[in-house]
Amino acid sequence: MMKKQERATRTRTSLVLAAARNFDRHGYDGTSLAAVCGDAGISMGALTFHFRSKAALAAAVADEGVGELQRIRAACPHTGRPLHDLSALVLAVAGTLHSSVRARSAARLITEGHVASDWPAVWRGEVRGLVERAWKSGALTKEVRPGTATQLVQHLVEGVAIDARVTGGQRGPAPSDFPEVWRAALTGLAAGPGAGLADVP
C-alpha cells in the first residue's frame, strides 16, 4: 500500500511540474493535457486519475506556486526599517520567480485570469505598506507618490518572471543582475544618500 501511495505521489508531482513548465512557456490556452503527459512521460489515464480537467491541473500548479511565494514572503525579515524590509521582500520574490517554474506559472495563470488567488492583492498590499512607511519616514523622495513607487516595484518583479520565461530560467536578471537593477531603482526613489540605503540588502 505504501509503495502504491508513493508512486501516486511521484506521479502527481511529475504531472504538476510538467504542467507548470507548459503553462509557464505556452500559457493556459496554449497547453494541452497531451503535451503535459508527453512532458511528464505519464499516460493520459494517470493524469485524469489525479486531475479531472485542465482547470483542476492549473489550480494545483497555482496552489503550489503561490505556496512557494508565500513561504518566501513569510521568511522575510521584519526589522522595522521599511527600505531594508522592502528590499528583502522584493529580492526574495524576484529570486523565487526566477528560479521556480511553479511560481512563474502560478503568477501567469493568476495574472491572465485562469486561476483565482488573493496572492496579487497580498503582495501588492505588503509592498504598498512598506513604501508608504518609507515615504512617511522621509526615506523616499517626496517627488514620487507611494502608488507610483508600488507600480515600479511590480513592473520590475514582473519583468524578472517574463525574462526567466523567455530564457528558460537560465539568464534572467536574477539572482546575479537583478539586485543591481533593484538598487539602481531604489537609489532613484530614495530621498538622498543618507536615506537609509546603507543597510539595504
Side-chain angles (χ1 to χ4, degrees):
M1 176 66 74
M2 184 61 69
K3 287 185 177 180
K4 187 174 181 180
Q5 290 176 340
E6 289 174 355
R7 282 198 302 272
T9 298
R10 286 197 301 271
T11 297
R12 188 185 189 282
T13 299
S14 296
L15 286 167
V16 170
L17 180 57
R21 285 194 293 259
N22 279 270
F23 288 137
D24 181 50
R25 191 178 305 123
H26 306 297
Y28 184 87
D29 293 333
T31 294
S32 68
L33 294 182
V36 172
C37 289
D39 193 346
I42 293 170
S43 70
M44 184 65 74
L47 185 151
T48 55
F49 174 80
H50 288 277
F51 304 102
R52 66 184 182 279
S53 64
K54 186 165 74 168
L57 183 56
V61 170
D63 186 59
E64 290 197 12
V66 167
E68 290 185 17
L69 291 166
Q70 288 175 331
R71 286 191 293 275
I72 288 292
R73 170 180 156 268
C76 286
H78 299 280
T79 66
R81 295 170 291 169
L83 284 186
H84 180 281
D85 295 350
L86 175 65
S87 288
L89 176 64
V90 167
L91 293 173
V93 171
T96 302
L97 287 170
H98 177 269
S99 62
S100 170
V101 70
R102 291 180 181 87
R104 284 198 309 278
S105 182
R108 180 171 187 173
L109 289 166
I110 293 164
T111 299
E112 294 179 356
H114 299 292
V115 177
S117 172
D118 62 354
W119 164 254
V122 170
W123 155 247
R124 181 181 175 88
E126 189 157 358
V127 169
R128 178 68 182 252
L130 289 167
V131 167
E132 287 181 344
R133 286 199 287 278
W135 190 78
K136 288 175 182 176
S137 71
L140 293 188
T141 176
K142 297 298 183 182
E143 296 175 2
V144 179
R145 293 173 299 162
T148 302
T150 302
Q151 274 191 303
L152 175 63
V153 171
Q154 283 191 286
H155 292 322
L156 287 172
V157 173
E158 287 168 5
V160 171
I162 292 168
D163 191 86
R165 186 172 297 129
V166 170
T167 62
Q170 300 302 311
R171 296 183 294 101
S176 59
D177 297 336
F178 183 74
E180 186 175 346
V181 172
W182 167 241
R183 182 167 281 276
L186 192 57
T187 299
L189 291 172
L197 292 181
D199 66 346
V200 168

